[in-house]
Amino acid sequence: MPLGKYYCDYCDKQFQDTPSARRRHLEGVAHQRAKALWYDAARNSHWTNQVPDPRSLGKGICNRFVRTGSCVYGDSCKYYHPQR
């Protein structure tokens, strides 16, 4: 039986989904940093007293955009790109 793939939205990575691989990834420094960046971006754009951008409702924040300031998918990205 083939194993499934696990996709991490925080890190924008995909790997074979085994308990040890998932645990190794979730406990890794890169995952912890990416997750912290995601929550910082979300806190700064959504959870303040500002009115949220209506385009962001129902979408997650694009981790690639938060980390690098750009996204290869541009306007067609399925995630929200917060304004800086």
Side-chain angles (χ1 to χ4, degrees), residues 35-48 60-61 66 82:
K35 185 176 175 183
L37 282 172
W38 187 90
Y39 276 102
D40 286 344
R43 188 177 305 112
N44 291 337
S45 67
H46 287 286
W47 298 329
T48 60
I61 296 175
V66 170

Side-chain angles (χ1 to χ4, degrees), residues 24-81:
R24 185 173 46 247
H25 174 75
L26 294 176
E27 292 173 356
V29 175
H31 174 77
Q32 297 298 324
R33 275 194 199 127
K35 185 176 175 183
L37 282 172
W38 187 90
Y39 276 102
D40 286 344
R43 188 177 305 112
N44 291 337
S45 67
H46 287 286
W47 298 329
T48 60
N49 291 332
Q50 302 171 4
V51 176
D53 188 343
R55 296 172 295 185
S56 70
L57 297 176
K59 291 183 172 184
I61 296 175
C62 179
N63 292 320
R64 182 179 291 135
F65 185 82
V66 170
R67 282 194 315 267
T68 65
S70 65
C71 175
V72 295
Y73 299 107
D75 292 337
S76 64
C77 183
K78 67 179 183 177
Y79 298 108
Y80 173 65
H81 296 162

